[in-house]
Amino acid sequence: MKKLLTCFFAMLGLTSACGQQNYEDVDVQQFAALVSDTDVVVLDVRTAGEFREGYIDRAINIDVKQGDFLQKAKATLPADRKIAVYCRSGRRSANACRQLAAEGYQVVNLKGGIMAWTGSQMPVKVEE
């Protein structure tokens, strides 16, 4: 019985450790303050087509759905700077944040994505 309880508590500890978030989620106002700092890198992880429809100023576009996302990100993003990440609704960017944080990047995710950003009347740029 003692071994069974020990095993149970060990597994419980592993599942809670795996569930920990290794990045920060912020709202639109916090994200706006963050990206106003030119030392912060802005990363848009949507598709190229979505990016062309409108993006946050200074954003770099690397599609998280592409198989080479992590390789491109590591080749492009400086490891010593904070990365502000967003997508359309916040799901893809959360995935990108998990991957980047696992590689040692300090990342922040925009809750609600660019939908929340534009819904708060924040500016976007459009490719011409």
Side-chain angles (χ1 to χ4, degrees), residues 107-118:
V107 290
V108 177
N109 181 46
L110 173 59
K111 287 189 294 191
I114 201 158
M115 290 172 45
W117 181 267
T118 57

Side-chain angles (χ1 to χ4, degrees), residues 1-114:
M1 183 67 164
K2 188 175 183 179
K3 286 183 183 180
L4 184 61
L5 284 174
T6 302
C7 185
F8 172 75
F9 286 119
M11 286 182 56
L12 184 64
L14 284 175
T15 57
S16 62
C18 292
Q20 291 179 352
Q21 189 168 296
N22 53 0
Y23 62 90
E24 184 180 1
D25 280 317
V26 297
D27 64 21
V28 170
Q29 286 70 35
Q30 293 168 307
F31 199 80
L34 183 67
V35 300
S36 70
D37 180 347
T38 57
D39 284 337
V40 172
V41 177
V42 183
L43 177 62
D44 183 319
V45 296
R46 298 175 299 156
T47 66
E50 289 173 307
F51 184 78
R52 284 189 296 273
E53 292 173 0
Y55 57 92
I56 297 173
D57 191 32
R58 298 186 303 104
I60 297 167
N61 181 227
I62 306 174
D63 185 351
V64 71
K65 287 186 172 183
Q66 296 298 312
D68 60 351
F69 166 73
L70 202 49
Q71 292 82 1
K72 283 183 179 176
K74 288 166 70 173
T76 306
L77 303 172
D80 61 342
R81 291 173 55 194
K82 189 175 283 190
I83 313 296
V85 187
Y86 73 94
C87 66
R88 186 177 76 74
S89 68
R91 284 189 171 169
R92 284 178 280 175
S93 54
N95 176 26
C97 283
R98 281 190 292 278
Q99 291 182 54
L100 293 170
E103 294 294 322
Y105 287 92
Q106 184 182 4
V107 290
V108 177
N109 181 46
L110 173 59
K111 287 189 294 191
I114 201 158

